[in-house]
Amino acid sequence: MTANPLLNDWSTPFALPPFSQIATEQFRDAFSHALRDHEAEIAAITSNPEAPTFANTIDALELAGRKLNKVGSVFWNLTGTDSTEELRVLEREISPQLTRHFTAISLNPELFARVSALYDRCEDLTLDEEQARLLELTHKSFVRTGAKLEGEARARYAQIAETLSELETQFAQNILADETDFLFELEEADLAGLADDIKAAAAQTAKDRNTAKPCALTLQRSSVESFLSQSTRRDLREELFKAFVARGEHAGKTDNRPLIAQILALRQEKASLLGYKTFADYKLEPTMAHEPSAAAALMEKLWTPALRRAEEERAALQDLIDGEGGNFALAAHDWRYYAEKLRLSRYALDQAELAAYFQLESMIDAAFYCAEKLFDLRFERRFDLPVYHTDVRAYEVKDGHGRHVAIFYGDYFARAGKRSGAWMSGFRSQKKLGGEERPVIVNVMNFLKPTPDRPSLLTLTEVITLFHEFGHALHGMLSDVVYPSMSGTSTPTDFVEFPSQVYEHWALRPEVLQKFAKHFETGAPMPQALIDRIVAARCFNQGFGTVEFLASALVDFKLHWRPDAPAEVGAAEADILETIGMPAEIVMRHRSPHFGHVFAGESYAAGYYSYLWSETLDADGFAAFEEAGDIFDRETAKKLRDYVYSAGNRRDPNAAYAAFRGRGPDVEALLRKKGFV
Ligand SMILES: [Zn+2]
């Protein structure tokens, strides 16, 4: 026992982190203990006098670093949800230490020799499917992180890895600063057109931040997008949009542009040290796409029809402006506003009318209900479990026989110090090796908090986001593998969005809406006519959405699929956009200076295309339920669970998909889903 709760066994229910006992300054000490422990565990493997066996090397490696995982998972979750200056300082200090630590492991010659010896005779080892794949992936991962490098190249690799982690951490912190430090101050009269909940949130922000004017917005995506689609003040939309798309691009200490140039150059140098032509070649090797050309081909296949559709949409929006006597050309800051008007006139779909039926609480129930119908899960709210913030709710997840499956945390509301966007993460992954552990999974969102007289109401997009992240959560919670590194969402990035995106399909199905979309004041179920209109408007503005997404994906891809790095990212981005014929009225969903997916870490670098790749799977995958004639078809759901949600990375994802569907994915399903055929 030590005085540091992070280092003790947790005697809390389900061994959950004892959040209330943890103080920020304890992380420093906890990390240094956990790092030393992990080093000792690695040393025990390499100094083992016995010849390498699967058990004394691979199993031992899988079991090593448990304490570091424990401490790290609490730390990294808190830096995302409740960042403070103290945590940010610590984060800048810890990130390079961790990188040094893991680089030293991957460059450890004795350790690699043992893994290699096993890999070389894997045929003789009588391994099951999961073990054989684990051995192959472990060996590959050593090679991909420099294990075969020698001399100067080896030292340079280690240096690059450390510098990259510093730059990526700084990049993320700069975006957070630009999003939360910026305040767009407004008078009451400036709120014309806005829904009541946005007005209330703007007043609350002004109060919290003590601004001169009575209302204020930060640059969090959700509040900016609401303002852009609702505000009747064209001048203010323009001002806010300009600030939004310039995040990370302000000269001064939060300027991300010089960081990007360095990150790209170092990534390229790393790839070439490891023997790859470009960083994209390196990055895509272990993915479903495998080759950059395969990912590029999919993006190109979609780009032309998306652009054509966006041009039709632009013309329709311009007609609307002209019809109203507005004497101006549609600009980027007008798109969302006029798209909402058009949606209203074409489909009689009014976001405020819709939101009245999407109470957060009922939509959470809807997500749980689908999980019960598909996977036989039950969710029981527990008030006695430790949580890291009073806004967080805890659920125990059980199967139909009452057996414990997982703990699920829902952290739904925006607050200061929380990164923008939505994500799934975990405090513990599932594994069986050395004793079964069940997972502890969290979904984090940035929805508006309820007020005393109004529940939290969601937009259509937010309902989809809720289901998306819950799909990731199910991937974590249903995991049923032996080895920790194969667990849950530890799959290639172009596969990992499949379980999340396919789950979105259930959100807006009439079977679900009829049951859960109830008016927050009257309790009346959503009228069938409104459900029909939602279904009819399914592909509305899909050209805009696809172009906005693909432009980001293509820029990310092209910046990394070249043998050199651009000197100046702004010019490189502009060049790429010109080459692809980007319409002036649409701005990339994420411009490079705030493209956290790509530059705040490596996992989605040259990998933003993954969402699209997974979308071919979800469009085609959900069609399996439609073909079965029941969106909860038991047999299809069982296959989806066996080969996808519970399977982690046990099997090559191309094979896993084929096992679920009985064949490979049909790309045409994606074009049909988007309404491009
Ligand atoms: Zn996702």
Side-chain angles (χ1 to χ4, degrees):
M1 290 284 282
T2 77
N4 191 331
L6 283 160
L7 293 167
N8 294 333
D9 285 339
W10 295 334
S11 56
T12 45
F14 307 104
L16 293 167
F19 296 110
S20 63
Q21 296 167 31
I22 298 170
T24 303
E25 77 263 10
Q26 290 165 334
F27 280 109
R28 186 175 279 111
D29 175 49
F31 268 115
S32 86
H33 269 86
L35 285 165
R36 278 204 303 276
D37 271 23
H38 195 204
E39 280 161 14
E41 286 162 334
I42 300 293
I45 300 173
T46 54
S47 62
N48 189 333
E50 288 166 33
T53 63
F54 195 88
N56 74 19
T57 303
I58 304 297
D59 281 358
L61 253 180
E62 286 284 306
L63 289 171
R66 305 297 294 165
K67 196 176 277 180
L68 185 55
N69 281 341
K70 241 170 88 172
V71 174
S73 68
V74 178
F75 182 75
W76 295 112
N77 275 296
L78 292 181
T79 60
T81 58
D82 296 278
S83 180
T84 58
E85 190 46 39
E86 196 185 358
L87 270 173
R88 286 190 286 276
V89 168
L90 208 49
E91 193 182 358
R92 289 195 294 268
E93 186 182 315
I94 301 292
S95 295
Q97 277 180 31
L98 287 177
T99 308
R100 262 199 305 275
H101 173 78
F102 285 108
T103 306
I105 293 175
S106 58
L107 296 180
N108 181 322
E110 293 87 19
L111 189 58
F112 182 58
R114 292 182 77 94
V115 172
S116 275
L118 289 169
Y119 179 71
D120 290 343
R121 56 185 187 88
C122 59
E123 307 286 308
D124 315 328
L125 294 177
T126 57
L127 303 176
D128 66 23
E129 193 187 5
E130 186 176 338
Q131 290 172 323
R133 184 162 162 82
L134 174 63
L135 178 54
E136 191 192 329
L137 291 176
T138 305
H139 179 260
K140 191 80 205 166
S141 149
F142 271 94
V143 175
R144 285 173 57 78
T145 46
K148 285 187 168 173
L149 297 177
E150 282 167 12
E152 253 175 65
R154 206 176 166 80
R156 180 64 187 150
Y157 176 86
Q159 194 182 28
I160 291 174
E162 192 175 331
T163 312
L164 273 175
S165 107
E166 283 166 12
L167 291 168
E168 288 161 354
T169 303
Q170 187 61 53
F171 186 95
Q173 295 194 348
N174 287 349
I175 307 176
L176 186 64
D178 271 14
E179 280 174 359
T180 53
D181 294 354
F182 178 91
L183 282 173
F184 190 55
E185 297 192 26
L186 300 161
E187 300 292 353
E188 300 275 0
D190 298 335
L191 305 182
L194 300 188
D196 291 343
D197 51 355
I198 315 287
K199 285 184 182 168
Q204 190 60 47
T205 304
K207 212 167 114 197
D208 293 347
R209 305 283 291 269
N210 215 357
T211 56
K213 293 186 185 176
C215 305
L217 296 176
T218 64
L219 289 182
Q220 296 253 359
R221 177 176 290 277
S222 54
S223 48
V224 171
E225 287 192 343
S226 301
F227 190 89
L228 290 173
S229 29
Q230 297 170 10
S231 170
T232 54
R233 287 283 300 275
R234 188 165 192 247
D235 57 332
L236 296 177
R237 290 200 308 264
E238 180 172 8
E239 203 182 319
L240 181 63
F241 190 66
K242 276 192 175 149
F244 184 61
V245 300
R247 283 169 296 148
E249 205 179 29
H250 301 289
K253 66 180 173 52
T254 62
D255 192 350
N256 270 336
R257 289 168 298 183
L259 303 190
I260 296 173
Q262 294 175 66
I263 290 171
L264 287 171
L266 289 173
R267 284 178 180 169
Q268 182 50 39
E269 189 185 345
K270 177 167 98 170
S272 94
L273 273 178
L274 294 168
Y276 297 86
K277 246 192 293 178
T278 71
F279 180 80
D281 286 281
Y282 163 71
K283 196 59 208 306
L284 267 74
E285 187 189 44
T287 64
M288 277 185 95
H290 195 61
E291 300 272 348
S293 57
L298 177 65
M299 288 188 268
E300 274 151 28
K301 191 177 170 74
L302 265 291
W303 178 252
T304 309
L307 198 57
R308 207 181 308 130
R309 178 59 47 83
E311 274 156 12
E312 291 163 18
E313 290 166 3
R314 172 177 58 186
L317 298 179
Q318 188 64 55
D319 284 350
L320 194 61
I321 294 172
D322 298 346
E324 286 181 350
N327 191 20
F328 57 86
L330 179 81
H333 52 268
D334 296 319
W335 194 295
R336 286 178 176 79
Y337 178 73
Y338 285 99
E340 279 323 307
K341 282 198 155 188
L342 190 61
R343 198 199 305 263
L344 186 60
S345 75
R346 259 192 208 167
Y347 302 99
L349 273 190
D350 172 3
Q351 293 295 352
E353 182 196 352
L354 273 183
Y357 289 95
F358 292 138
Q359 293 180 64
L360 170 65
E361 304 305 323
S362 327
M363 290 301 112
I364 294 171
D365 289 345
F368 289 172
Y369 169 79
C370 295
E372 179 176 342
K373 298 281 280 182
L374 291 164
F375 306 124
D376 198 27
L377 297 179
R378 310 284 187 276
F379 295 78
E380 187 193 324
R381 178 91 187 255
R382 296 270 305 242
F383 294 91
D384 57 328
L385 303 182
V387 290
Y388 57 88
H389 187 279
T390 48
D391 279 354
V392 179
R393 47 187 96 181
Y395 299 86
E396 185 186 358
V397 187
K398 293 180 182 170
D399 69 12
H401 303 286
R403 285 182 297 235
H404 177 80
V405 173
I407 294 296
F408 174 67
Y409 284 122
D411 178 359
Y412 295 110
F413 304 122
R415 61 176 171 266
K418 195 191 260 192
R419 185 148 68 75
S420 92
W423 63 93
M424 164 272 198
S425 175
F427 289 94
R428 184 166 69 224
S429 311
Q430 179 272 337
K431 59 108 188 164
K432 288 183 184 158
L433 185 70
E436 175 151 27
E437 279 182 0
R438 293 306 311 172
V440 178
I441 302 297
V442 57
N443 268 175
V444 184
M445 315 276 155
N446 272 287
F447 301 146
L448 289 175
K449 246 186 143 155
T451 58
D453 38 43
R454 229 179 128 85
S456 175
L457 300 176
L458 307 184
T459 65
L460 206 56
T461 321
E462 287 172 333
V463 172
I464 301 289
T465 302
L466 181 77
F467 272 69
H468 177 103
E469 297 308 333
F470 193 67
H472 281 309
L474 288 169
H475 198 192
M477 294 191 286
L478 288 169
S479 180
D480 187 27
V481 301
V482 175
Y483 294 94
S485 72
M486 312 289 267
S487 181
T489 54
S490 312
T491 66
T493 39
D494 52 5
F495 183 74
V496 81
E497 297 300 331
F498 170 46
S500 54
Q501 289 180 177
V502 79
Y503 208 71
E504 295 173 18
H505 288 262
W506 278 273
L508 300 182
R509 295 293 299 207
E511 296 89 328
V512 176
L513 292 177
Q514 279 153 1
K515 220 173 155 61
F516 294 96
K518 301 230 161 76
H519 196 280
F520 81 98
E521 282 166 333
T522 64
M526 183 177 273
Q528 186 58 44
L530 187 52
I531 295 179
D532 293 344
R533 274 149 35 209
I534 292 176
V535 174
R538 201 174 41 92
C539 296
F540 177 76
N541 213 31
Q542 194 60 250
F544 171 84
T546 310
V547 164
E548 195 193 32
F549 166 84
L550 268 178
S552 297
L554 283 162
V555 166
D556 159 43
F557 209 71
K558 287 170 191 262
L559 287 176
H560 289 100
W561 195 22
R562 48 186 279 173
D564 58 349
E568 210 275 292
V569 69
E573 185 181 289
D575 267 1
I576 296 168
L577 294 174
E578 197 188 324
T579 317
I580 62 176
M582 183 73 170
E585 300 81 358
I586 304 179
V587 173
M588 298 162 67
R589 183 164 178 83
H590 308 280
R591 294 197 47 243
S592 306
H594 48 257
F595 207 165
H597 282 86
V598 173
F599 296 112
E602 207 163 88
S603 62
Y604 278 84
Y608 197 59
Y609 81 88
S610 297
Y611 291 92
L612 187 72
W613 192 275
S614 291
E615 207 176 347
T616 64
L617 308 181
D618 80 66
D620 184 58
F622 187 75
F625 287 91
E626 291 175 316
E627 287 157 21
D630 176 2
I631 60 162
F632 297 116
D633 181 62
R634 279 170 160 272
E635 210 179 310
T636 315
K638 183 177 182 320
K639 281 190 204 156
L640 187 61
R641 178 186 187 140
D642 289 350
Y643 299 118
V644 179
Y645 282 95
S646 72
N649 199 18
R650 185 160 58 204
R651 196 180 261 216
D652 170 77
N654 284 298
Y657 187 84
F660 154 62
R661 195 65 168 101
R663 56 165 173 76
D666 170 16
V667 181
E668 297 304 311
L670 175 60
L671 293 171
R672 284 195 297 276
K673 176 187 169 192
K674 291 184 169 289
F676 291 167
V677 283

